[in-house]
Amino acid sequence: MAESSTPSRERIVAGAADMISRRGLNATSIRELAKHAKAPLGSTYHYFPEGKRQLATEAVRYAGTAVERILRKELDAGPAAGLRAFLGLWRDIVVRSDYRAGCPVLAVSVEEPPIDDTPPALLAAAEAFEGWERLLAEALRDRGVEREQAAGVAALVVAGVEGAIAMCRAKRSMRPLDLVERQLTAVIADAVAAAE
């Protein structure tokens, strides 16, 4: 059977997540998202009849879920392993893109929403951040860290890494992520040691 030349829905979503990670949401049109995914505009509207808003929301969910999947797997070995995986993922994306790409979840988060309506992509971004924090906090609690401290350390990890990604792109250097990695590794080690 001949393979269809129509791009898959998932490929369009993945392409949109990549494009948003490079240019942000407001600076990206549905036409550009389709082109970046090497998809005909008609196919894009077929899969996403609500247009850019729907595609952006699904792209953020896609990115959030992809990161969660990696975290969930690596956190089985403990919070330090989860941190290394989280850092490694973003390090790879930033370096491979020559500092042009970062996190699509962060990209959507920093764009100003309309006053009267919270865009679904922004809600999806909040859900992604919460999911990553929840997984990290659970891994810390599994090591005996008290609930409130585990939540605080998890939020620090996500905020620290996301901020470092933006700094790396601006400075065209991995130094901010390296510095944040050392500090977060120490915070996690201290929290786990204090709980033992």
Side-chain angles (χ1 to χ4, degrees):
M1 181 182 251
E3 189 176 306
S4 171
S5 62
T6 303
S8 72
R9 187 176 202 285
E10 185 174 349
R11 192 174 96 201
I12 295 170
V13 171
D18 181 59
M19 185 74 159
I20 291 167
S21 78
R22 294 167 186 272
R23 296 192 46 202
L25 180 58
N26 292 336
T28 308
S29 70
I30 188 83
R31 183 176 301 279
E32 291 168 317
L33 290 170
K35 184 178 178 183
H36 187 71
K38 295 179 175 66
L41 188 58
S43 291
T44 304
Y45 278 112
H46 169 74
Y47 288 126
F48 308 98
E50 296 170 32
K52 178 179 166 179
R53 187 176 174 117
Q54 180 184 11
L55 179 53
T57 302
E58 294 197 30
V60 170
R61 285 187 182 130
Y62 170 87
T65 300
V67 172
E68 264 195 46
R69 196 171 22 255
I70 291 165
L71 271 176
R72 192 177 308 280
K73 178 182 173 200
E74 296 300 325
L75 284 168
D76 284 345
L83 173 64
R84 282 191 300 275
F86 195 52
L87 290 159
L89 167 74
W90 297 118
R91 183 182 308 279
D92 185 52
I93 288 169
V94 172
V95 170
R96 267 189 308 117
S97 70
D98 193 28
Y99 300 93
R100 289 185 178 94
C103 176
V105 177
L106 178 63
V108 167
S109 300
V110 298
E111 295 190 17
E112 189 173 332
I115 293 170
D116 60 340
D117 181 31
T118 301
L122 188 59
L123 296 173
E127 290 169 7
F129 287 142
E130 288 167 5
W132 304 344
E133 288 176 62
R134 183 182 62 256
L135 289 173
L136 288 161
E138 287 171 2
L140 287 160
R141 286 197 312 272
D142 288 348
R143 295 290 198 262
V145 177
E146 184 268 328
R147 179 177 292 279
E148 192 64 28
Q149 184 183 13
V153 171
L156 179 64
V157 167
V158 173
V161 172
E162 291 292 316
I165 293 165
M167 291 172 69
C168 289
R169 291 183 70 195
K171 294 181 176 190
R172 299 191 57 76
S173 166
M174 293 312 294
R175 182 159 167 73
L177 197 62
D178 294 339
L179 293 171
V180 166
E181 178 175 14
R182 281 196 286 272
Q183 297 305 311
L184 293 177
T185 299
V187 167
I188 286 174
D190 289 349
V192 171
E196 291 176 344

